[in-house]
Structure formats: C-alpha cells, structure tokens
Amino acid sequence: MSETFTKAMARNIFYGGAVFFFLLFLGLTFDTMQQLPSRDHRENITDSVVRGKHIWETRNCIGCHTLMGEGAYFAPELGNVYVRRGGPFIKAWIQSQPTGVPGRRQMPNFNLNEQELDDMVAFLKWTSEVNTNKWPPNIEG
Amino acid sequence: MQYQSQAVAKPYFIAAIGLFVGQILFGLIMGYQYVVGDFLFPEIPFNVARMVHTNLLIVWLLFGFMGATHYLIPEEAETELFSPKLGLITFWVFLVAGALTIVGYLMVPYATLAAMTGNDLLPTMGREFLEQPLITKVGIVIVVLTFLFNISMTVLKGRKTSISLVLLVGLWGLAIFFLFSFYNPSNLVLDKYFWWWTVHLWVEGVWELILGAMLAFVLIKVTGVDREVIEKWLYVIIAMTLITGIIGTGHHYFWIGTPEYWQWFGSVFSALEPIPFFMMTVFAFNMVNRRRREHPNKAATLWALGTGVMAFLGAGVWGFLHTLAPVNFFTHGTQITAAHGHMAFYGAYVMVNLAMISYAMPMMRGRTANSAAAQTMEMWSFWLMTVSIVFITLFLTAAGILQVWLQRMGTTPMSFMAAQDQIMVFYWLREITGFVFLLGLVLYIWSFFCKKGEAQTAA
Ligand code: HEM
Ligand code: HEM
Ligand SMILES: [Fe+2]
C-alpha cells in the first residue's frame, strides 16, 4: 500500500466505518421491530404456543431438524410441517417414535403427554403462519 | 519466549488440541449416523452428538484465542501479564465447566439437564450452538470477563500496539455479543433475529478482528516485515470486515419472518464480505514475499499462508455461493450450508489457531523452531487435514446440489427422506474423508513428540 495512505488513516476508516454501519444496523433493526407484529402475528402466541416452544427447546429438536431453514440437516424441515401433515399426524408421529426400522435414521421418544403434544402442535401451527416471504419453495420444505 | 508469563498460554493450547480431537470423533459418529441411521441409537442420538461436536468446536477455538492472547499480549505490551495466576485460574475453571457440560450432554437426557440447571428460571437452552445450560453460560461470562480484566490491565500498564488494541476490541466484542444468548423471547421470530447477533456477529464480525490480530502477530514474527506496514493492512482488513459484515447479517434475515428489504441489504453487503478475506490472502503472501528474515519455523509460515487461502475459499467463495437471496431461497438449510460451515470454520478459525500454536509452542518449549523432521511431520498433517476438508466440502456441496434439485425444484419434488436416500453415496465419501482428516490430526499431535533431529535454538 502507498506511503501517502497512512496507518492513522486506515485506523480512522475502521472506527468510522464500524460506528456508521453499526448505527445503520440499529436503525434497520428499529424499523424491522415496527414491521414484525403484522408479519409474525404475535397476537396468536397463546400460552399453549409458549409452552410448545419450551418443549421444542428442552428436547433439542433443532439438533436434528431445521425450523425455517435453520438448525440441523439430518431430518425434515418443520417450519411448515403443520401444513404438510396436519395436527393429528404430528401427534401420532411423535408418539410412535422410534420406528426401530434397521439402518434408518431414528428419532427418540420424548414421552410427551396429551397436553404437551397439543402445545407442540400449537407452536408448529403458529410457526407455519409467520410470513416468511414464501419460503420454503414447496411443501416438502 | 521473552516474558515468563507467556507460558500461561501452554495449558490453553494443550486443552484446545485435546478438545479438537473430541470434536472430530463426534463428527465421525454423526457422519456414520448419516449413512447408518440407527448407529449408537438410543445411546447417543444424532442431536446429542451434534451438540458435542459443535460446542467442542466453539470451546476449543475459545481456548485457542485465549491461549494466543496470553502469549501475544506480554510480547506486544512488553511487560509480564498483570496476573499469571488469574490466567491459570480462568483456565481451570473454563476447562472443568466445559468438561462437566459435555458430560451432562452425554449422561443426562437434555430435558432433565435443562430442569436440573435452572433453565425454567431463564430459558436459554435448545437453540443451535447455544445449547449450554444456564449455569455454563453464566460461567462462560465470568471466565471471559476475568480473562478480559487480566488482559486489559496488562495492556494498560504496557506498550499499546495496534495489534493488541484490535485483539482487545475483538475479545470485548466477543463477550458483549455473547450476552444476546441470554435473550430468548417466546416469539420465535425475535428469538431468531437476535440469535444471529451472537452467531453471525461473532464469526463474520468480532472474531475476524481476533483472527486478523493473530495473523498479523505471527506474520510480524516469521517475516520480520516492518510493523507499520503490517498494522496498516490489519486496519484496512478489519475496516472492510465491519463495513460489510454488520449489515451482512441481513443474509440471515431473508426467510425468518423479517421484512423483504433485508433481501437487498443482506445480499448486497454480504456479497462484499469476501473482500476482507481476499485481502487476508494477499496480505499473508505479500508479507512472506517481502520477508526480511528466514525464520526456521517453516511450519508456522505454512499455517499462516494456509489461513489466508482457506479462509478466503471457505468463507469468501463458499459463502458467496449461497448468499444472494434468489440462490439462498433454494439452498437455505441444506447440505450446502453444512459444506460452507465446515470449510469456513476450518479455514479461518481452526487454521489461525494452529498457526499461532505452531509458532508459539516451540518457543514455550525453549526453542525457536522444531527439528526439521518434526516440521515435516507437521506439514504433512497440514496437507492431510486441509485436503480432507476441501474434499468434505466438495462432497457436501455435491450432496447439497442434488438435494436442492430433488427436493426443492421441479413439479414433483421428493420428500426430504426420499431425497436423502438418493445422495447417500456422497455421505459415504464424506465419512471416509473424515477418517483421513482424523489421520492428519493424529499426525499433528504426533509431531509434538517427534524426537528425530535437532531442534533449533538460535534466534
Ligand atoms: C472430519 C470429520 C468431520 C465430520 C465427519 C463432521 C460431520 C459433521 C456432521 C454430520 C454435522 C451435522 C450436519 C447436520 O446438521 O446435519 C456437522 C456439523 C458441523 N461441523 Fe462437522 N464434521 C467434521 C469435522 C469438522 C471440523 C474440522 C469442523 C470445524 C472446523 C466442523 C464444524 C462443524 C460445524 C460448524 C457444524 C455445524 C454446521 C451448520 O450448522 O451448518 N466439523 N459436522
Ligand atoms: C469465517 C467466517 C465464516 C464462518 C465461520 C461461517 C460459518 C457459517 C455457519 C456455521 C453457518 C450455518 C449456520 C447455521 O447453522 O444456521 C453459516 C451460514 C451462512 N453463511 Fe457463513 N460463515 C462465515 C463467513 C461467511 C461469509 C463471508 C459469507 C458470505 C459471503 C457467508 C454466508 C453464509 C450464508 C448465506 C449462510 C446461511 C446459509 C443458509 O441459508 O442456510 N458466511 N456460516
Ligand atoms: Fe452470516
């Protein structure tokens, strides 16, 4: 790099750039927060949905599945599973695990009771209704 | 070694390498579960192996960063550490807390672990990479703050170079953005939005400052190029990192419920993120070409050059591949993501740590460089690990392209599990290559015990 461009100039670009773009990021975040309520439909987050998210987390479902495309890639996307399969199927599926089919990927049984299964479904239903800009590309997730 | 207290780095480096081995073993377990689904079920379900694999990775990289800091700061500040004893205490606390957490993952069902460790008080668990129990997270904060206190005090009482300053900004940023891991609202969209403030603003933000500072330090030492030149490069690189990387967070805000305009902000800014990585490559080669001395530690130089190239390939090229919104629409959350994750983490953060260890370990063992035989062995391990990760990335990319094609394109898309069956061959190839990686890692460790030839002691 040329001699006229000094270390002090480089340092100032670093500090200036970092501060400027962080402030811009905060501004965009502020705007996003204003828009989110109409996109995530938070008015539909019932106690059941809240409990469902807690069950989702404490069973570490994200360690195998993706949810809105984030997580692990070992098992199917679940952000739209409510649309793909429906509530009764989801409950029956969770209860019948593991399949025990030799050589097939296995999902643990979490011994959820009826109430917990309903909460799980409520969480997945709410999730499937978030406006995700038309992602995933198709029903298979 | 110029200052006695630099030796505090040694246990950090040894622990880092030990945990690295654990990380790879669990990677191989998962890789096998990808092809033989019921392997080790129900003893170690896939999600448990995955937590162990990724958490060990993060923890050992942190050990590496902390070791590097303890080594580099006294030399930069031209003074002994503020408190070497504190440095050792944080080491042991961190190691014990980390080990207990891993044992917890493996021995106790996750829901029970959550209940035992106060997750109901403040739910933070069960989110990717942030699976640690609340008490572990609090422990991490305490350890990191103690460490930062020790390091900041050392810099305050000594010479303040740009390298130490950048390193400190990076480390403080690491601590601050980790605090978002305690924020877990019941609204999933908000949860995801701020989850990225830890994850993305770490690897594509403040960690790059740490990376840059470590690379600059090693390059000054092995090339003898003027500090002014190296530090100017450092500032330009990290300026570009934050200018592109902060708004670049938007490449994770395409499909999680956030407004459409993030597709523009995220695509444009993250498309520029490869620039600082490219500059790192140019920087490393430039400095080595302009070297003013022939440092006997050829292995360290090789790791430093490798960091530049592989970070650019993994983060820059493989990141760019799927970062534009219209592409990411199809590749989001597929094996393409995993391919990129592997090469980026390896190329940037694994390699810079190994470069630092390669340079500093011989010094701490009372020599300028290891014997020629030991270095040859280490360079073999460099090539084995690096070439394996390239192939792992290529196989996962092939798997990902097929996955997208079968499952997400066309009029009769396959189900997830049906598509997985079709791409099995690539998972086999990945697993086999994983064993070559392990071989490289074993050779790497072996090189520390190589007794052949004379170590070089003349400075
Ligand atoms: C060499 C043997 C390795 C094997 C067989 C292996 C295997 C795996 C597997 C199967 C996953 C889970 C993918 C999924 O969620 O479905 C994974 C995740 C991951 N591994 Fe490895 N791994 C290896 C080495 C490494 C290395 C050396 C690194 C770091 C440098 C690494 C970093 C990661 C990361 C960051 C993830 C999470 C990726 C994401 O979320 O996209 N792995 N690995
Ligand atoms: C050393 C730096 C980097 C590291 C360690 C890294 C690592 C990762 C990891 C582990 C993930 C998966 C996260 C998850 O599990 O959800 C990821 C996702 C992603 N990365 Fe990076 N990355 C780096 C730099 C970059 C750069 C420079 C770009 C762009 C040019 C980029 C673009 C992306 C994109 C678009 C995703 C989302 C993939 C998806 O939609 O599934 N990354 N990165
Ligand atoms: Fe990112």
Side-chain angles (χ1 to χ4, degrees):
Chain A
M1 264 176 272
S2 85
E3 301 293 318
T4 46
F5 182 71
T6 63
K7 186 171 101 181
M9 290 156 84
R11 189 191 53 212
N12 293 341
I13 295 175
F14 165 64
Y15 285 119
V19 169
F20 178 82
F21 283 99
F22 193 72
L23 289 177
L24 178 59
F25 188 52
L26 287 181
L28 288 168
T29 297
F30 181 78
D31 182 76
T32 298
M33 293 304 133
Q34 308 307 303
Q35 295 202 34
L36 277 187
S38 66
R39 301 178 56 95
D40 60 28
H41 304 293
R42 56 190 67 180
E43 67 280 4
N44 297 335
I45 303 183
T46 59
D47 289 346
S48 183
V49 172
V50 172
R51 287 194 302 269
K53 180 169 187 273
H54 193 66
I55 299 166
W56 168 269
E57 286 166 359
T58 51
R59 272 58 178 187
N60 192 226
C61 307
I62 203 80
C64 290
H65 294 276
T66 45
L67 190 64
M68 294 182 180
E70 294 169 4
Y73 323 114
F74 188 68
E77 162 69 29
L78 297 184
N80 68 341
V81 68
Y82 184 83
V83 185
R84 183 163 65 242
R85 304 290 201 177
F89 179 97
I90 295 172
K91 286 167 66 175
W93 174 266
I94 295 174
Q95 280 176 304
S96 63
Q97 298 308 304
T99 62
V101 177
R104 193 182 163 85
R105 297 180 190 172
Q106 297 295 315
M107 169 168 155
N109 192 302
F110 299 106
N111 301 308
L112 302 183
N113 61 32
E114 199 55 32
Q115 162 91 61
E116 290 170 323
L117 288 166
D118 285 333
D119 293 341
M120 195 69 246
V121 170
F123 171 64
L124 291 172
K125 176 172 187 293
W126 173 80
T127 303
S128 72
E129 289 161 0
V130 170
N131 177 352
T132 55
N133 297 333
K134 304 210 170 59
W135 195 90
N138 65 48
I139 194 75
E140 297 300 345
Chain B
M1 210 170 64
Q2 300 172 17
Y3 297 89
Q4 213 87 64
S5 54
Q6 287 178 284
V8 172
K10 203 170 174 181
Y12 283 93
F13 289 153
I14 294 171
I17 295 168
L19 299 173
F20 186 15
V21 175
Q23 184 219 333
I24 297 309
L25 293 179
F26 279 86
L28 290 171
I29 290 178
M30 271 193 294
Y32 199 63
Q33 288 173 330
Y34 249 95
V35 286
V36 179
D38 55 356
F39 177 62
L40 286 184
F41 188 87
E43 290 76 25
I44 306 181
F46 181 87
N47 61 338
V48 172
R50 194 182 201 272
M51 276 193 293
V52 176
H53 180 66
T54 55
N55 289 14
L56 280 176
L57 167 68
I58 296 166
V59 169
W60 89 253
L61 294 178
L62 292 180
F63 268 110
F65 292 160
M66 290 166 82
T69 307
H70 283 113
Y71 185 87
L72 158 175
I73 288 294
E75 217 164 293
E76 287 292 300
E78 296 183 334
T79 169
E80 295 288 350
L81 277 180
F82 174 72
S83 166
K85 199 187 262 161
L86 210 52
L88 287 174
I89 293 174
T90 52
F91 168 76
W92 283 109
V93 173
F94 197 25
L95 187 66
V96 171
L100 283 178
T101 304
I102 301 296
V103 170
Y105 289 163
L106 290 169
M107 306 301 284
V108 188
Y110 194 68
T112 317
L113 184 67
M116 278 164 54
T117 52
N119 190 57
D120 290 327
L121 252 58
L122 179 67
T124 65
M125 293 171 69
R127 295 172 305 148
E128 195 192 1
F129 304 128
L130 305 181
E131 294 94 348
Q132 311 81 21
L134 182 62
I135 44 174
T136 306
K137 287 199 182 83
V138 173
I140 293 174
V141 171
I142 294 172
V143 163
V144 171
L145 287 182
T146 313
F147 157 77
L148 277 172
F149 167 74
N150 199 9
I151 297 304
S152 304
M153 292 306 282
T154 312
V155 173
L156 281 178
K157 80 181 164 96
R159 180 174 71 143
K160 292 155 195 68
T161 65
S162 301
I163 290 184
S164 355
L165 238 56
V166 170
L167 183 61
L168 267 183
V169 174
L171 291 168
W172 275 103
L174 182 156
I176 287 164
F177 287 113
F178 183 67
L179 296 179
F180 286 94
S181 73
F182 291 94
Y183 178 64
N184 180 20
S186 42
N187 183 337
L188 179 71
V189 177
L190 286 177
D191 168 5
K192 284 177 174 292
Y193 190 91
F194 290 103
W195 178 84
W196 283 112
W197 285 41
T198 299
V199 177
H200 172 97
L201 291 178
W202 264 16
V203 299
E204 290 158 73
V206 291
W207 282 30
E208 275 183 60
L209 273 55
I210 301 172
L211 164 68
M214 284 167 64
L215 194 60
F217 177 80
V218 173
L219 286 172
I220 286 188
K221 297 296 159 180
V222 297
T223 65
V225 171
D226 188 24
R227 173 180 288 276
E228 279 299 300
V229 177
I230 290 202
E231 290 183 337
K232 186 163 47 168
W233 271 93
L234 175 60
Y235 272 126
V236 174
I237 289 172
I238 61 172
M240 284 315 292
T241 295
L242 296 187
I243 288 170
T244 61
I246 295 174
I247 307 293
T249 316
H251 65 184
H252 304 294
Y253 295 162
F254 298 158
W255 330 112
I256 62 165
T258 31
E260 263 122 37
Y261 59 69
W262 281 111
Q263 296 182 19
W264 286 100
F265 281 103
S267 298
V268 170
F269 279 87
S270 70
L272 301 174
E273 281 183 49
I275 295 173
F277 286 101
F278 184 67
M279 291 176 70
M280 266 184 233
T281 314
V282 177
F283 170 51
F285 276 89
N286 225 324
M287 295 307 112
V288 171
N289 284 338
R290 288 161 61 174
R291 67 186 174 276
R292 296 219 185 133
R293 71 161 81 106
E294 290 299 328
H295 198 282
N297 194 339
K298 299 282 176 252
T301 314
L302 181 63
W303 283 113
L305 291 174
T307 306
V309 174
M310 294 302 294
F312 173 63
L313 273 183
V317 176
W318 253 261
F320 182 78
L321 219 61
H322 62 163
T323 207
L324 300 176
V327 177
N328 191 263
F329 181 69
F330 291 104
T331 61
H332 182 47
T334 62
Q335 297 300 323
I336 307 247
T337 312
H340 155 70
H342 279 84
M343 193 146 68
F345 257 111
Y346 176 81
Y349 300 116
V350 171
M351 290 185 88
V352 79
N353 269 315
L354 297 187
M356 189 72 198
I357 293 175
S358 181
Y359 171 76
M361 242 352 201
M363 297 286 189
M364 286 188 286
R365 298 168 83 194
R367 43 185 104 142
T368 317
N370 290 325
S371 71
Q375 287 197 44
T376 306
M377 206 184 246
E378 187 180 341
M379 291 198 249
W380 265 97
S381 79
F382 169 97
W383 287 109
L384 279 174
M385 287 195 274
T386 305
V387 171
S388 325
I389 218 77
V390 168
F391 275 92
I392 286 175
T393 305
L394 289 173
F395 293 140
L396 289 178
T397 305
I401 291 172
L402 273 173
Q403 181 185 11
V404 168
W405 175 252
L406 296 172
Q407 185 192 320
R408 289 189 175 164
M409 299 181 98
T411 43
T412 49
M414 266 184 202
S415 77
F416 177 90
M417 291 304 284
Q420 292 297 303
D421 283 338
Q422 298 299 312
I423 54 188
M424 208 47 85
V425 59
F426 292 107
Y427 294 141
W428 275 111
L429 291 169
R430 181 264 301 269
E431 179 70 350
I432 295 165
T433 317
F435 278 96
V436 181
F437 189 97
L438 179 68
L439 183 71
L441 181 55
V442 169
L443 202 64
Y444 176 74
I445 293 168
W446 202 341
S447 75
F448 286 86
F449 301 99
C450 175
K451 293 264 178 337
K452 261 202 292 183
E454 291 271 313
Q456 293 156 59
T457 42

